[in-house]
Amino acid sequence: MSSHGTTPHHAAQRDAGLSGAGTNLDPWYDLYADRTAGLSASEVRALFAVASRPEVVSLAGGMPFVSALPSELIAGAFERMMRDVGPQALQYGSGQGVPALREHILEIMALEGIRASVDDVVVTTGSQHALELVTKLFINPGDVVLAEGPSYVTAMVVFNSFQADIQHVPMDEHGLIPEALREAITRLRAAGKAIKFLYTVPTFSNPAGVTLSWERRLEILEICRSNGILVLEDNPYGLIYFDSPPPQAMRSVEEDGVIYLGTFSKTLAPGFRVGWALAPHAIREKLILANEAAVLSPSSFSQLMITEYLNTADWKEQINTFRGIYRDRRDAMLGALAEYLPQLSWTVPNGGFYVWATLPSHLDSKAMLPRAVKELVAYTPGTAFYADGNGRNNIRLSFCYPTPDFIREGIRRLSTVINGEIDLLNTFSQTTPLATIPLKQGIVSPPPNID
Amino acid sequence: MSSHGTTPHHAAQRDAGLSGAGTNLDPWYDLYADRTAGLSASEVRALFAVASRPEVVSLAGGMPFVSALPSELIAGAFERMMRDVGPQALQYGSGQGVPALREHILEIMALEGIRASVDDVVVTTGSQHALELVTKLFINPGDVVLAEGPSYVTAMVVFNSFQADIQHVPMDEHGLIPEALREAITRLRAAGKAIKFLYTVPTFSNPAGVTLSWERRLEILEICRSNGILVLEDNPYGLIYFDSPPPQAMRSVEEDGVIYLGTFSKTLAPGFRVGWALAPHAIREKLILANEAAVLSPSSFSQLMITEYLNTADWKEQINTFRGIYRDRRDAMLGALAEYLPQLSWTVPNGGFYVWATLPSHLDSKAMLPRAVKELVAYTPGTAFYADGNGRNNIRLSFCYPTPDFIREGIRRLSTVINGEIDLLNTFSQTTPLATIPLKQGIVSPPPNID
C-alpha cells in the first residue's frame, strides 16, 4: 500500500489496517494520487491462491458454471457473426454499444418489468465497469455512498478507489431496512455529509442471498426520491431464481432516480465481459463519454457474439437450465448445512449464488480461514463485505461452481473446522481471554473471480 | 456539460468554452463529481456522424483496415480455443491477464528491443484502458501531465477526466524537443506544480506522424530520470513502419522510469479490445488492483482468441501485409497532397496512420470542417489535439482506412475547400477583419473510432 497523502481522510485509510509493506522499495511512492491509497491487496489473496488447488472445495468464488453452456451455441454464434458482420466485429464500435444488442437488452430487462428506450442503454465491459464509471461520474473524495451491510466486495473496492465514504445500512431477511435508511440519511446529513447514491443488490444479494420485498422497494425508492439520492440498482442475479420469480426491478417503478446495472455474466458467460447500465437521459450521456474515455468502445467482438447468440439460440431455455443447476446446488448446500452445521444460522436464497451464514459469536471467520484451507475447504470471510470491520463471525458460502457432491463434502469439511474451533474456545475460555480483533479492519479486496 | 463545483479549477473548466447546454434539464446536476466537468462532448461529433455516410471520404478516423485480416485465421483461432480451453474462455480470468498471452506479448515487445519479465505485463481492455488506469493511479486534481503538442486526443480526454493540468511540450520533425521539455519542467516547478508524468507517442505519433530520434530518446529519458518524472510511452504504431524500422522503444533503455503501453488494435484488430501495460514492479501491482476494480478481469474470450492466433498464425507476415497496405496509402496521400495542395506543408510519416498538415495561417480548420463535409470529405481539426487552443490552422489526415483511390479523391475534394477558403479570404481581407477565434478552446472529445 502506497500513499503520499497527508489529509486526515488519507491517514485514516492508512491506519485502517492496510499493509504498508513494500513502500520503501517503490521509487514512485511520492507520485501516486491520493485515491490510490484506497486500492489495497486482499489480505486473503495468498490463501485463495492456495484454495484454487483442485483438492480444495472452494465455496469462496463467484464463478458461474459455464460448462453448462452448449459449445455448439457459441460456435454457431461465431460462424454467423463472421459471415454476416465480420469486419464490424473486428473493428472499433460506438462508445454506447451495438444497437442490435441494446435492443436485446430491452427484451431481457422487460422480463423484470422494465420498460426503457434503447437510447438509454450503455454497454459496458461487464457491469463491474458500469460501477466504476458511475462512481467516477459522481464521487468526490469524502462523498457518502450508502451500501447494504453486507455489500458486494468489489463494488466497495471501486467506491474506495474514488475515496468514497461507505456507510452501511443494515438488512434483514427481507433486504435493506427502510427505517434504517431514513435514520442513516438523517444522521449523515446532520453531520454535513454529501450523500450521492444508494448502492443495492436488491435481488438475491451478494453476499447475503436475501431479496428486498416489493413493499420495501417502493418505500426505499420513495425515501431516495424525497431525499434527492440516486439508486444504483445492481441486478446480476435477478433471472437466476429457483422457486418463484422475485419482485420486479426497482427500475420498473422509477425511471428518473435509478441507474440499473445488468450483465451477461450469469445468464450466459463472464468471459465476454459484457454488461450494461440503463440510466436516466442526462446521466446516460455522461456515461457514454466516460466509457469512451476509458475504453473507446466496448468490445465489438464480444458484443456481436452475444447478439448472434440471442438472435438464434433459445436463450430463455438456457437460463432455465442454469436455474435448475443452481437450484440443485443451493438445495445441496442447505441440506448439508442442516445436517453438518445445525449450530449455525444462514439465509435461504430463492436465487443467485450465495448463502450467508452466521457462526457462533466468538468465532472469527478470517482467523479460521487458514485452518479451513488446511482442511481443503475455502469460503469468504464476512469482513470482506463490510467497510467498517463488521462481519467477523459471518461467512459467505457460494454454491454456484462446485457440484452438489462437492458442496456436501465442502460443508462436511467446514463442520470439522468449525467444531474444532468451538472445542478449542471452550477448552481455553475459562483461563485465556478470547483473541480480540481490531475493531476497524480495512476492506479486503476481492478474491479472484468474484462478481 | 454539468458541474456543481465551485472551485477556481472547476470554474476555469466551465469557462473554457465547454457547453452548458442541458444542465437545467438534468435533475442530478448537483450530484456530479467535480471531475465530471472534464468530460465534454465533442463539438464536431454531430459532423462526424454526417461524415460516416458512405459518400463522404473520411480522412478523420483512426480505424485500421481490418478487412486485410484473413477470416480463416480468426476462425482457426476460435476453433482451437473452444476445443482446448473453451470453459476458460467463457470464465472470469485473472486481473493481470492470461499468462500465455503475456508470454507472447514479451516476444512482440522484443521486436522493439524490450526485455522484460512476464510478471510485469498487465493486460488491459485496449491500451486506452491502460491510459485510464495509469491516470487514475497518479493524478490528483491539478497535477501536471506533460504531453506532446499536438497529442493524442483521447489521452487528453482521460487526463482531463481526472482533472489533470495538461501542459504541452513542443515537437518538431524529430519529435519532442528536449530543450523545451527542460524549460517546461523548470517553469512549472517554479510555479509550484506537481509534475507526474510525460505522456508521449514517440514512434509515428498520433497526430503528428513524426518519430522521436534515438538521440532525443536518450536525452528525454535522462531529463525525466533526473527530475523524478515517469515516462508514459504509448506505442500503438511502432511495428507499422514503412521504409525502415524506427528507433527502439524508450522502454528498451530504461526499465524503472517507463510505463510502456502496447496494443493488438493495429497489428491484429481493435474489436477484441486487448492491449497491455508494461510497468515497473511496484506500479504494476497497483495497476492490477486498479484493473480488477474496473473490470474484474480483461475478457478471457478475447485474450484466448489472440493467444491462439499468435500460437498458430504467421502473425509477423500479417504485420508485413498491413505495412504494405498502409505504405501504399501513405504514398497515395503524400502524392495527392503534392499534386493538389502544394501550398500546404505536411509531415512525412515513416509509419503509423497519420499525416499532420499545416494550412495557410489565416485558415481555421474547425470553422472549415462543415464546408469540407459538404464537399464530401472529412478530417480532424488540429485544435482537437491541443489542450490550449493551438492547432487552429492544422489538420490531421488519416490514411489508414480509405483505399488509395479514395484518398486521392478525398485530398482533391479537400483542395477545393481549401482553395475556396483562400479565395474567400483574399476577396474580403481588405475590407473585413479576419474572423477571430477565442484563444482558449476546450478540448474536443474524440470523434468515434480514434485510437
Side-chain angles (χ1 to χ4, degrees):
Chain A
M1 200 61 252
S2 283
S3 155
H4 75 292
T6 53
T7 62
H9 176 83
H10 209 150
Q13 286 190 307
R14 204 154 30 177
D15 291 346
L18 302 178
S19 160
T23 49
N24 291 340
L25 300 173
D26 182 357
W28 304 105
Y29 177 75
D30 289 339
L31 288 193
Y32 293 110
D34 293 341
R35 73 177 69 82
T36 300
L39 279 171
S40 58
S42 168
E43 300 166 64
V44 293
R45 178 182 292 243
L47 264 179
F48 278 113
V50 176
S52 69
R53 295 197 322 246
E55 64 270 29
V56 176
V57 174
S58 178
L59 308 174
M63 295 196 299
F65 188 65
V66 293
S67 300
L69 195 64
S71 65
E72 61 269 23
L73 294 183
I74 304 297
F78 175 80
E79 281 156 27
R80 283 184 303 274
M81 175 182 77
M82 290 306 287
R83 186 192 64 203
D84 298 342
V85 288
Q88 187 191 343
L90 298 171
Q91 192 56 271
Y92 293 111
S94 96
Q96 182 166 13
V98 169
L101 178 61
R102 288 187 278 122
E103 293 280 0
H104 279 300
I105 286 169
L106 292 188
E107 291 176 60
I108 293 166
M109 293 192 297
L111 299 175
E112 300 191 71
I114 295 173
R115 291 191 303 174
S117 159
V118 72
D119 291 339
D120 291 335
V121 176
V122 182
V123 179
T124 55
T125 305
S127 59
Q128 185 68 33
H129 201 222
L131 274 175
E132 169 95 359
L133 297 175
V134 168
T135 308
K136 184 178 175 186
L137 287 184
F138 284 99
I139 298 300
N140 285 320
D143 283 351
V144 168
V145 172
L146 297 169
E148 289 154 343
S151 213
Y152 166 49
V153 53
T154 318
M156 293 195 295
V157 173
V158 171
F159 303 151
N160 272 327
S161 79
F162 284 99
Q163 300 168 274
D165 177 1
I166 300 169
Q167 293 285 335
H168 288 295
V169 179
M171 349 167 49
D172 61 21
E173 69 271 31
H174 305 295
L176 263 180
I177 301 168
E179 195 46 41
L181 176 60
R182 273 195 205 91
E183 283 167 14
I185 293 170
T186 304
R187 174 175 49 82
L188 292 161
R189 291 248 160 106
K193 294 283 193 178
I195 305 172
K196 293 299 179 73
F197 55 78
L198 167 68
Y199 172 70
T200 175
V201 182
T203 304
F204 317 139
S205 76
N206 177 3
V210 300
T211 294
L212 189 65
S213 69
W214 179 247
E215 295 70 25
R216 285 194 182 179
R217 287 177 193 231
L218 299 179
E219 194 173 353
I220 283 169
L221 285 168
E222 174 52 35
I223 294 169
C224 288
R225 191 185 305 120
S226 62
N227 281 284
I229 295 169
L230 271 169
V231 175
L232 184 51
E233 179 181 25
D234 190 3
N235 186 31
Y237 309 104
L239 294 177
I240 310 292
Y241 56 82
F242 305 145
D243 308 312
S244 56
Q248 293 197 329
M250 297 173 82
R251 172 57 177 75
S252 72
V253 182
E254 163 87 39
E255 183 171 342
D256 290 335
V258 177
I259 301 176
Y260 174 95
L261 307 187
T263 180
F264 289 100
S265 290
K266 320 304 178 193
T267 54
L268 179 58
F272 296 111
R273 307 311 299 122
V274 177
W276 68 89
L278 172 66
H281 199 75
I283 296 172
R284 172 265 284 173
E285 283 294 339
K286 292 181 175 57
L287 269 177
I288 295 169
L289 293 172
N291 206 16
E292 286 178 357
V295 299
L296 293 176
S297 59
S299 167
S300 304
F301 198 85
S302 284
Q303 288 183 83
L304 289 168
M305 281 290 296
I306 295 178
T307 304
E308 286 301 326
Y309 169 81
L310 295 170
N311 278 343
T312 52
D314 187 349
W315 56 269
K316 289 182 190 173
E317 185 51 37
Q318 182 59 39
I319 293 175
N320 258 333
T321 301
F322 280 127
R323 279 183 196 128
I325 290 168
Y326 295 129
R327 183 192 299 116
D328 289 348
R329 292 171 184 205
R330 176 208 53 179
D331 291 345
M333 179 168 279
L334 294 178
L337 283 167
E339 179 175 352
Y340 293 116
L341 281 165
Q343 68 273 47
L344 269 51
S345 62
W346 54 84
T347 57
V348 177
N350 175 31
F353 284 7
Y354 308 107
V355 166
W356 179 251
T358 304
L359 311 182
S361 64
H362 289 140
L363 294 194
D364 173 358
S365 64
K366 191 156 75 181
M368 190 177 77
L369 184 57
R371 295 186 277 275
V373 172
K374 186 157 174 285
E375 294 291 331
L376 305 180
V377 61
Y379 58 81
T380 309
T383 46
F385 305 99
Y386 285 95
D388 58 8
N390 272 316
R392 199 179 59 90
N393 67 323
N394 291 111
I395 59 177
R396 190 191 70 175
L397 298 170
S398 309
F399 52 81
C400 45
Y401 195 74
T403 59
D405 283 351
F406 276 102
I407 288 171
R408 282 182 58 81
E409 174 60 15
I411 297 293
R412 192 196 62 75
R413 292 175 187 173
L414 186 60
S415 72
T416 308
V417 179
I418 289 175
N419 290 329
E421 293 284 296
I422 292 171
D423 286 351
L424 201 69
L425 284 173
N426 287 342
T427 307
F428 284 92
S429 63
Q430 281 151 4
T431 55
T432 313
L434 290 171
T436 52
I437 313 295
L439 185 64
K440 289 290 250 186
Q441 306 188 47
I443 293 190
V444 295
S445 89
N449 306 327
I450 292 193
D451 202 7
Chain B
M1 200 63 250
S2 285
S3 156
H4 74 292
T6 52
T7 63
H9 176 80
H10 209 151
Q13 285 190 308
R14 205 153 28 174
D15 292 344
L18 302 177
S19 160
T23 48
N24 292 339
L25 299 173
D26 183 355
W28 304 105
Y29 177 75
D30 289 340
L31 288 194
Y32 293 111
D34 293 341
R35 73 177 69 81
T36 299
L39 279 171
S40 57
S42 168
E43 300 168 62
V44 293
R45 177 182 293 245
L47 264 179
F48 278 113
V50 176
S52 68
R53 296 198 320 249
E55 64 270 29
V56 176
V57 174
S58 179
L59 308 173
M63 295 197 299
F65 188 65
V66 293
S67 300
L69 195 65
S71 63
E72 62 269 23
L73 294 184
I74 304 297
F78 175 81
E79 280 156 28
R80 283 185 302 274
M81 174 182 79
M82 290 306 288
R83 186 192 64 202
D84 297 343
V85 288
Q88 187 190 343
L90 297 171
Q91 194 53 272
Y92 293 110
S94 96
Q96 183 166 11
V98 168
L101 178 61
R102 289 187 279 122
E103 294 280 359
H104 279 299
I105 286 169
L106 292 188
E107 291 174 62
I108 293 166
M109 292 192 297
L111 298 177
E112 300 191 71
I114 295 173
R115 291 192 304 177
S117 160
V118 72
D119 292 340
D120 290 336
V121 176
V122 181
V123 179
T124 54
T125 305
S127 59
Q128 184 69 33
H129 201 223
L131 273 174
E132 168 96 358
L133 296 175
V134 168
T135 308
K136 184 178 175 185
L137 286 183
F138 284 99
I139 298 300
N140 284 321
D143 282 350
V144 168
V145 172
L146 297 168
E148 290 154 344
S151 213
Y152 166 49
V153 52
T154 318
M156 293 195 294
V157 173
V158 171
F159 303 151
N160 271 326
S161 79
F162 284 99
Q163 301 168 273
D165 177 2
I166 300 169
Q167 294 284 334
H168 287 296
V169 179
M171 341 166 58
D172 61 20
E173 70 272 29
H174 305 295
L176 263 180
I177 300 167
E179 195 47 39
L181 176 62
R182 272 195 206 90
E183 283 167 15
I185 294 170
T186 303
R187 175 174 50 81
L188 292 161
R189 291 248 160 107
K193 294 283 192 177
I195 305 173
K196 293 300 179 72
F197 56 78
L198 168 68
Y199 172 70
T200 175
V201 182
T203 304
F204 317 137
S205 77
N206 176 4
V210 301
T211 294
L212 189 66
S213 70
W214 179 247
E215 295 70 25
R216 285 193 182 178
R217 287 177 193 231
L218 299 179
E219 195 173 351
I220 283 170
L221 285 167
E222 174 52 34
I223 293 169
C224 288
R225 191 186 303 119
S226 62
N227 281 284
I229 295 170
L230 271 169
V231 175
L232 184 51
E233 179 181 26
D234 190 4
N235 186 32
Y237 308 104
L239 294 176
I240 309 293
Y241 55 82
F242 305 146
D243 308 311
S244 57
Q248 293 197 329
M250 297 173 82
R251 172 57 177 77
S252 72
V253 182
E254 165 86 39
E255 182 171 344
D256 291 335
V258 177
I259 302 176
Y260 173 96
L261 308 186
T263 180
F264 289 100
S265 291
K266 322 303 179 193
T267 54
L268 179 56
F272 295 112
R273 306 312 298 124
V274 176
W276 68 89
L278 172 67
H281 199 75
I283 296 173
R284 171 266 283 173
E285 284 294 341
K286 292 182 175 55
L287 269 177
I288 296 170
L289 293 173
N291 206 18
E292 286 178 356
V295 299
L296 292 176
S297 59
S299 166
S300 303
F301 198 85
S302 284
Q303 288 183 83
L304 289 167
M305 280 290 296
I306 294 178
T307 303
E308 286 302 327
Y309 168 82
L310 295 169
N311 278 344
T312 51
D314 188 348
W315 56 270
K316 289 182 189 172
E317 185 51 36
Q318 181 59 39
I319 293 176
N320 259 331
T321 301
F322 280 127
R323 279 184 196 128
I325 289 167
Y326 296 129
R327 184 192 298 115
D328 288 349
R329 292 172 183 204
R330 176 208 53 179
D331 291 345
M333 179 166 280
L334 295 178
L337 283 168
E339 179 175 350
Y340 293 116
L341 282 165
Q343 67 274 45
L344 269 53
S345 63
W346 54 84
T347 57
V348 176
N350 175 33
F353 284 7
Y354 308 108
V355 166
W356 179 251
T358 304
L359 311 182
S361 63
H362 289 140
L363 293 194
D364 173 358
S365 64
K366 190 156 76 182
M368 189 176 77
L369 184 57
R371 294 186 278 274
V373 172
K374 187 156 174 285
E375 294 291 332
L376 305 181
V377 61
Y379 57 81
T380 311
T383 46
F385 306 99
Y386 284 95
D388 57 9
N390 271 317
R392 198 180 58 90
N393 67 324
N394 291 111
I395 60 178
R396 189 191 72 175
L397 298 169
S398 309
F399 51 81
C400 44
Y401 195 73
T403 59
D405 283 352
F406 276 101
I407 288 172
R408 282 182 57 81
E409 173 60 15
I411 297 293
R412 192 195 62 73
R413 293 175 187 174
L414 186 61
S415 72
T416 307
V417 179
I418 290 175
N419 290 328
E421 293 285 295
I422 292 171
D423 286 351
L424 200 69
L425 284 174
N426 287 342
T427 306
F428 285 90
S429 63
Q430 281 153 1
T431 54
T432 313
L434 289 170
T436 54
I437 313 295
L439 185 65
K440 290 289 254 185
Q441 306 188 47
I443 294 191
V444 294
S445 88
N449 305 327
I450 291 193
D451 202 4

